[in-house]
Amino acid sequence: MTKFESEVKVIPASQEAVYEKLSDLNNLEKVKDRLSEDKVKNLSFDAESLSVEVPPVGTIVLKIIEKEPCKCIKFETTTSPLPFNLWIQILPIGENECKMKLTIGLEINPFMKAMVQKPLQDGVQKIADMLALINYAQ
């Protein structure tokens, strides 16, 4: 399995608050208006899944497949040109601070890896940046 990881983001909120917000995808409504339309189009979601159009890749649909309370949320694609898993790891630093890291994992041959490495690395970083913008204290 090939993995692409975001940089670690420090979030000024408790591990529990971050997990609670991210484990219900309806909470993404609060950041929807901050997304760049040239990067992401037609974002839609419900509590357990999200769909997004990523030019020039196409539509990607992710659903939550596993939740480990306060620590990890795992997703897998149901629709994607390239099937992959995504997991969000959340670790406490203190009472009102935690660390978050995103990882994308996929089975891919070396030729394809060379083609998708940069877009996937950029993508996982942009998702982490977006999630770091959420106000988890509310």
Side-chain angles (χ1 to χ4, degrees):
M1 173 163 310
T2 302
K3 293 183 180 176
F4 299 91
E5 297 181 338
S6 72
E7 61 189 42
V8 173
K9 294 288 184 182
V10 175
I11 310 291
S14 71
Q15 178 185 20
E16 292 80 9
V18 173
Y19 174 83
E20 288 303 317
K21 187 89 57 152
L22 295 179
S23 62
D24 179 351
L25 298 178
N26 285 320
N27 291 318
L28 292 178
E29 189 66 47
K30 295 174 180 75
V31 295
K32 196 173 177 180
D33 59 344
R34 296 186 193 177
L35 298 176
S36 168
E37 274 294 317
D38 61 328
K39 304 270 189 266
V40 170
K41 293 180 176 9
N42 302 324
L43 176 64
S44 63
F45 42 83
D46 59 30
E48 296 287 316
S49 67
L50 73 96
S51 172
V52 65
E53 197 177 312
V54 183
V57 176
T59 300
I60 296 174
V61 179
L62 288 162
K63 70 172 183 175
I64 295 176
I65 57 166
E66 188 180 329
K67 296 178 187 176
E68 187 180 341
C70 300
K71 292 182 182 163
C72 188
I73 306 163
K74 292 184 181 177
F75 299 80
E76 75 177 10
T77 53
T78 57
T79 305
S80 174
L82 210 58
F84 65 88
N85 289 336
L86 168 77
W87 51 106
I88 302 171
Q89 295 164 286
I90 309 161
L91 293 169
I93 297 174
E95 199 172 302
N96 294 306
E97 197 173 44
C98 65
K99 296 187 288 190
M100 178 181 66
K101 181 174 82 171
L102 276 62
T103 304
I104 288 178
L106 68 159
E107 297 295 336
I108 191 166
N109 68 47
F111 176 73
M112 285 294 292
K113 181 179 177 182
M115 290 180 14
V116 302
Q117 188 159 0
K118 180 147 178 38
L120 279 173
Q121 189 62 55
D122 290 350
V124 76
Q125 191 57 51
K126 285 182 179 120
I127 296 167
D129 292 345
M130 180 192 79
L131 294 178
L133 294 173
I134 296 173
N135 182 348
Y136 293 97
Q138 294 179 342

